[in-house]
């Protein structure tokens, strides 16, 4: 723990600290995807779409693009809610599928979101992306250096681990494990498996939205190229 806290001073270089920040954001994404894949046993290959929704939510509300400059904490609830809504919208019709069929549909959803962002020039600025996004500030404290972002991301990772740890030991977490091991048996025990799977999708999507919101504030720029299928594969490989 002490080594991790001292890591920015051990690394020294701003470039290496930025790499550590991005590693932390990917850890957050993998923790969120693990709710869907690890706990509930659903094969989701389009997870990066929710990451994109969170990032673009912050870009819309905190940049000159629409002339809005909302603080990060004001945007954060929307960056949680919007991806969760997308997760429910995707999950409602497709969660009756299983295995490879579910993977193919979620893969397609991830690509649809990326292409939608890429082609909707009037709203998203298309392939040019959105620049000059406001850096994150909390209660007047500005995250103006990579070192400050490192500690913000580190705090977020620790918070994610605590929340997910408690979630896994809750009634919902045990129900997800039952669905993962044997969905038919879970149904026979009276569990509403469709509703529980929707919860997993929504929860995982909201975690991705938070990571996307951090990513947009850290990079101060977002474009469709940051949310390709390859990103989903990397996150999937991490878990």
């Amino acid at each position: 723990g002490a080594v991790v806290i001292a890591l920015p001073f051990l690394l020294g270089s701003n470039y290496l600290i930025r790499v550590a920040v991005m590693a932390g954001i990917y850890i957050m994404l993998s923790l969120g995807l693990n709710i869907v894949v690890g706990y509930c046993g659903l094969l989701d290959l389009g997870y990066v779409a929710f990451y994109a929704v969170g990032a673009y939510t912050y870009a819309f509300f905190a940049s000159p693009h629409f002339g809005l400059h909302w603080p990060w904490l004001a945007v954060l609830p929307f960056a949680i809610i919007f991806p969760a809504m997308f997760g429910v919208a995707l999950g409602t019709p497709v969660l009756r599928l299983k295995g490879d069929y579910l993977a193919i549909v979620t893969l397609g959803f991830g690509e649809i979101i990326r292409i939608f962002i890429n082609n909707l020039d009037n709203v998203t600025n298309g392939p040019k992306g959105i620049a000059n996004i406001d850096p994150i500030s909390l209660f007047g404290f500005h995250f103006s250096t990579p070192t400050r972002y490192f500690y913000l991301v580190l705090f977020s990772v620790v918070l994610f681990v605590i929340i997910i740890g408690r979630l896994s030991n809750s009634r919902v977490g045990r129900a997800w494990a039952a669905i993962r091991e044997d969905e038919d048996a879970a149904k026979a025990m009276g569990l509403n498996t469709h509703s529980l799977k929707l919860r997993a999708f929504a929860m995982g999507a909201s975690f991705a939205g938070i990571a996307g919101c951090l990513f947009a504030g850290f990079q101060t720029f977002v474009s469709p190229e940051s949310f390709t299928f390859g990103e989903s594969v990397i996150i999937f490989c991490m878990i």
Side-chain angles (χ1 to χ4, degrees):
V3 173
V4 174
I5 292 170
L7 194 59
F9 305 101
L10 297 174
L11 294 174
S13 162
N14 273 346
Y15 167 74
L16 292 177
I17 297 171
R18 290 183 69 89
V19 171
V21 171
M22 287 306 303
I25 290 173
Y26 275 91
I27 290 170
M28 293 168 65
L29 289 167
S30 64
L31 287 168
L33 182 58
N34 193 46
I35 293 174
V36 182
V37 178
Y39 292 156
C40 206
L42 304 172
L43 193 55
D44 183 358
L45 294 182
Y47 190 68
V48 74
F50 308 121
Y51 180 40
V53 171
Y56 270 88
T57 298
Y58 185 69
F60 289 156
F61 284 101
S63 76
H65 186 64
F66 286 136
L68 300 173
H69 295 279
W70 289 20
W72 189 75
L73 277 180
V75 181
L76 186 60
F78 295 98
I80 295 171
I81 293 167
F82 290 162
M85 290 170 61
F86 272 84
V88 172
L90 170 65
T92 299
V94 307
L95 282 179
R96 301 187 189 282
L97 301 174
K98 296 180 182 179
D100 296 343
Y101 300 104
L102 177 62
I104 291 167
V105 173
T106 54
L107 186 159
F109 173 76
E111 285 299 286
I112 287 168
I113 293 295
R114 182 185 64 80
I115 293 168
F116 185 75
I117 292 171
N118 196 58
N119 292 340
L120 202 62
D121 283 16
N122 294 335
V123 178
T124 64
N125 213 27
K128 297 184 290 294
I130 299 176
N132 300 317
I133 299 170
D134 299 340
I136 295 172
S137 62
L138 290 172
F139 308 110
F141 183 80
H142 298 281
F143 290 83
S144 53
T145 65
T147 299
R148 292 179 179 181
Y149 276 105
F150 173 84
Y151 288 113
L152 177 61
V153 170
L154 178 62
F155 172 79
S156 301
V157 169
V158 172
L159 190 62
F160 272 33
V161 169
I162 293 170
I163 292 171
I164 292 174
R166 293 183 66 85
L167 191 64
S168 66
N169 293 319
S170 69
R171 173 182 286 185
V172 172
R174 292 193 295 272
W176 285 340
I179 292 170
R180 180 191 66 217
E181 297 303 326
D182 192 328
E183 186 173 346
D184 292 333
K187 282 182 180 178
M189 293 299 294
L191 294 178
N192 186 339
T193 57
H194 188 69
S195 174
L196 286 162
K197 288 191 287 186
L198 275 181
R199 287 191 205 180
F201 250 69
M203 182 72 71
S206 64
F207 277 47
I210 297 170
C213 200
L214 279 170
F215 170 76
F218 175 61
Q219 293 286 86
T220 68
F221 173 77
V222 293
S223 74
E225 293 306 309
S226 298
F227 310 106
T228 61
F229 171 64
E231 299 296 307
S232 284
V233 173
I234 290 170
I235 301 163
F236 188 81
C237 288
M238 286 179 70
I239 62 169

